[in-house]
Amino acid sequence: MSEPGQKLRLGALVALVVGSMIGGGIFSLPQNMAARAEVGAVLIGWAITAVGMLALAFVFQTLANRKPELDSGVYAYAKAGFGEYMGFSSAWGYWISAWMGNVGYFVLLFSTLGFYFPAFGQGNTPLAIGCASLLLWAVHVLVLRGIKEAAFINLVTTVAKVVPLLMFIVIAAFAFRADIFTQDVWGFANPRLGSVLEQVRNMMLVTVFVFIGIEGASVYSGRAQRRADVGKATLIGFLGVLALLVLVNVLSLGVMTQLQLAGLQNPSLASVLEHIVGPWGALLISLGLAVSLLGALLSWALLCAEILFATARDGTMPRFLARENARHVPANALWLTNTMIQAFLLITLFAASTYTSLIYLASSMILVPYFWSAAYAMLLALRGETYQGQAGVRRKDLLVAMIALVYAIWLLYAGGLKYVLLSALLYAPGVILFARAKHEQGQRLFTGWETLIFAAVLLGAGVAAYALHAGILSL
C-alpha cells in the first residue's frame, strides 16, 4: 500500500482520467464527423454519446467499488459474469482494439508529416509505412530495455495535446460564423449523407474511438486519497473531455462548410486552423499532435503488452505470454503485439486503409468488452449481489447499467454489418490461444452455450473472409 502522502488527490485523478481519454482522435475530428453528418445530426449524436458514455463510466466505477477483487482489467467482468470464453473474448477484443489504435496512431503521425512532405501522403504510402515500421521497432527496443513512460514525458505530451486544443477553441470562437453553421443544418442539400438517423449512426464509431480509455478511470480507485474522489474525477474528467470534443467539432462547422471539412486530409484540425490564421496554425497543431503521438506510442506499446501479461497470469491466456525478461518487461507479449502491428501496417499499405477505417475497426473491437461489462453490472443489480440493505442504490445502478447496455447494443447496430463481420474475423483466431490456455489447465475447451457462441463467431468470420476475397468488403 502507498503511504497517505503518496495517495492521489482529486486534481491528480482528474488529470489521469483526461490524459487517458485524449489521444490523436480529436485532431481528426472535424473531417471524421463532417464526412458522415451535418450540424443537426452531429448535435444529436453528441447528446446520445454523452448519456451513453457517462453511463458506461459509472458502470466501471460501480464495478470497481463493488467488485474490488476483479482488478485485472475490464475482461474480468465478462469472465466473472458469463464464463471463461466470454472473459477471453473480452480480453482478446480489448487487446486488438489497443494495438489497432496504435496502427491508427502511426498512420496519423505520418499523415501529419504528409502536410509538409507529400511522399508520406495520408500515412499509407510505401515511404510512410517503411518509416512507421522503423519507428515501431525502435519503440519496441526501448520498451524491452525497461524504459517506461516517465512522469516528465507524460507531462510534456499532455501539455502538447491540451494547449493547441485550447488555442484552437479560442481562435475558432472568434472566427465562428452563424451563416456557415446554419447553412444546411440537417444535410438535406447533400443526399450522400442520407437521413438524419443514418447520419447519427455513421458518426457513432468515431465518438467511441475518441472516448476509448474512459474505463481507465476505475483503475485509479485504489490509489485515490478518498474513494469518493474517483466518482468526482470520472465525472469532471468526462465532462471536460466531452466539452473539448464538442467545441472542436461544433466550432469547426461554423468556420468551414461540411463539404470543405469532409474533403480535408487528417489531422484535419491543422487545416481548419490554417484556414483561419494561415500556415502557422497548421504547424502549431501538427507539432502538438506529433509530440502527443510519440508519447502515446511509447505508453500504449507497454499497455498492449500489459493486457496480455495480466491475462496470462490469471490463466485466461497461455503461460508463455506471462514471461518477463531480465528487466521485468513482458517480452513475449510485447513481441506478439508489435508483430501484429507490423502485419497491419503492411495490410494498410496494400489495402490503402486510411486512419478513419482503422479507428472504425478499433472501435468495433472494443464494443464486446463494453457490452459484457454493462451486462455484468446489470446482472449484479438484478441479483442484488453486494446490495444488501441498499434498495435505492440498487435501483439507480440498475437503471445506469440498462442505459449503458442499450448504448452498447446501439453502437453494435450503428457500426453496421461490415464491422460486425470484420470483428468476427479478428475474434475467431483467438481460439488458438484460448485452447492452449485451457489445455495448460487441463480443462475442456467450451461449455455448451460457449460452443454455440464460437460457432456464430466462426460463421461470421467465414462470411467476412469470403466477402473480402470477393471484394464485397474492404478494410
Side-chain angles (χ1 to χ4, degrees):
M1 285 290 290
S2 303
E3 294 301 318
Q6 296 176 300
K7 290 286 189 177
L8 297 173
R9 295 176 183 271
L10 179 61
L13 284 167
V14 171
L16 285 167
V17 172
V18 170
S20 66
M21 276 194 279
I22 295 184
I26 192 170
F27 292 89
S28 301
L29 203 58
Q31 187 278 335
N32 290 170
M33 290 301 199
R36 287 156 187 82
E38 252 292 2
V39 171
V42 163
L43 294 175
I44 293 170
W46 279 120
I48 294 170
T49 300
V51 174
M53 276 294 172
L54 187 58
L56 266 174
F58 283 134
V59 158
F60 289 120
Q61 181 203 342
T62 298
L63 290 173
N65 290 336
R66 297 201 167 271
K67 289 288 182 178
E69 70 277 11
L70 301 178
D71 59 357
S72 50
V74 292
Y75 78 93
Y77 304 132
K79 185 176 180 179
F82 305 99
E84 301 276 346
Y85 183 57
M86 286 302 95
F88 173 85
S89 295
S90 285
W92 181 254
Y94 193 69
W95 172 67
I96 290 178
S97 177
W99 64 252
M100 190 79 72
N102 249 15
V103 177
Y105 282 162
F106 277 113
V107 171
L108 182 58
L109 177 61
F110 286 95
S111 177
T112 305
L113 293 174
F115 262 92
Y116 308 99
F117 307 101
F120 288 120
Q122 293 190 45
N124 55 4
T125 63
L127 178 62
I129 298 303
C131 291
S133 300
L134 288 174
L135 181 57
L136 166 68
W137 294 108
V139 169
H140 179 85
V141 170
L142 283 175
V143 175
L144 275 182
R145 289 169 63 88
I147 298 175
K148 300 186 180 183
E149 191 179 23
F152 79 93
I153 295 178
N154 200 18
L155 178 63
V156 167
T157 55
T158 301
V159 171
K161 284 185 280 195
V162 175
V163 169
L165 293 174
L166 293 176
M167 288 182 67
F168 172 84
I169 288 167
V170 172
I171 293 168
F174 283 102
F176 184 88
R177 284 175 51 190
D179 58 320
I180 294 176
F181 187 72
T182 57
Q183 186 174 307
D184 182 25
V185 173
W186 301 110
F188 295 145
N190 186 356
R192 291 180 64 186
L193 290 175
S195 68
V196 174
L197 177 61
E198 285 177 289
Q199 292 177 54
V200 173
R201 268 189 60 190
N202 291 337
M203 65 175 272
M204 276 294 119
L205 286 184
V206 176
T207 65
V208 174
F209 186 77
V210 294
F211 275 115
I212 287 177
I214 195 170
E215 71 285 345
S218 61
V219 174
Y220 309 123
S221 57
R223 298 168 58 194
Q225 191 174 65
R226 293 172 62 242
R227 196 81 172 183
D229 283 348
V230 176
K232 291 179 188 173
T234 300
L235 185 59
I236 295 167
F238 170 79
L239 292 175
V241 172
L242 178 67
L244 278 176
L245 291 166
V246 173
L247 284 169
V248 163
N249 192 187
V250 170
L251 289 172
S252 298
L253 287 164
V255 172
M256 299 172 73
T257 66
Q258 177 267 329
L259 282 173
Q260 288 174 320
L261 290 169
L264 296 178
Q265 178 177 327
N266 283 316
S268 50
L269 201 65
S271 294
V272 178
L273 196 55
E274 183 178 37
H275 179 81
I276 301 171
V277 299
W280 73 264
L283 184 62
L284 171 72
I285 297 293
S286 299
L287 286 173
L289 178 58
V291 174
S292 172
L293 287 176
L294 287 169
L297 287 169
L298 187 61
S299 57
W300 276 86
L302 195 61
L303 177 68
C304 292
E306 287 290 338
I307 293 167
L308 290 181
F309 177 66
T311 49
R313 281 194 304 179
D314 75 358
T316 303
M317 293 278 182
R319 290 188 198 115
F320 79 94
L321 292 170
R323 289 184 196 139
E324 296 177 295
N325 66 12
R327 297 176 185 267
H328 303 290
V329 175
N332 288 352
L334 189 68
W335 276 104
L336 179 59
T337 297
N338 288 341
T339 299
M340 292 304 298
I341 291 175
Q342 180 65 75
F344 253 75
L345 282 172
L346 294 173
I347 290 171
T348 297
L349 174 62
F350 293 112
S353 298
T354 60
Y355 167 75
T356 309
S357 62
L358 288 166
I359 68 166
Y360 262 51
L361 198 47
S363 299
S364 66
M365 291 303 295
I366 208 165
L367 296 184
V368 167
Y370 283 178
F371 173 85
W372 289 118
S373 295
Y376 183 55
M378 192 170 81
L379 195 65
L380 287 183
L382 284 171
R383 289 175 177 167
E385 192 178 331
T386 74
Y387 285 96
Q388 289 76 16
Q390 297 178 305
V393 176
R394 179 184 169 188
R395 284 194 295 271
K396 184 202 75 173
D397 285 356
L398 178 60
L399 177 62
V400 170
M402 287 173 66
I403 292 170
L405 189 63
V406 169
Y407 177 60
I409 293 168
W410 156 252
L411 289 174
L412 286 165
Y413 162 75
L417 185 60
K418 171 183 176 178
Y419 288 100
V420 170
L421 292 174
L422 288 175
S423 295
L425 189 60
L426 289 170
Y427 271 107
V431 76
I432 297 168
L433 290 180
F434 182 64
R436 179 162 175 176
K438 297 295 275 186
H439 176 71
E440 288 174 353
Q441 296 167 50
Q443 298 174 354
R444 57 183 290 198
L445 185 58
F446 293 124
T447 61
W449 78 292
E450 287 177 343
T451 306
L452 293 175
I453 290 172
F454 178 66
V457 171
L458 208 55
L459 177 64
V463 172
Y466 171 77
L468 283 171
H469 177 73
I472 301 167
L473 278 185
S474 61
L475 285 175

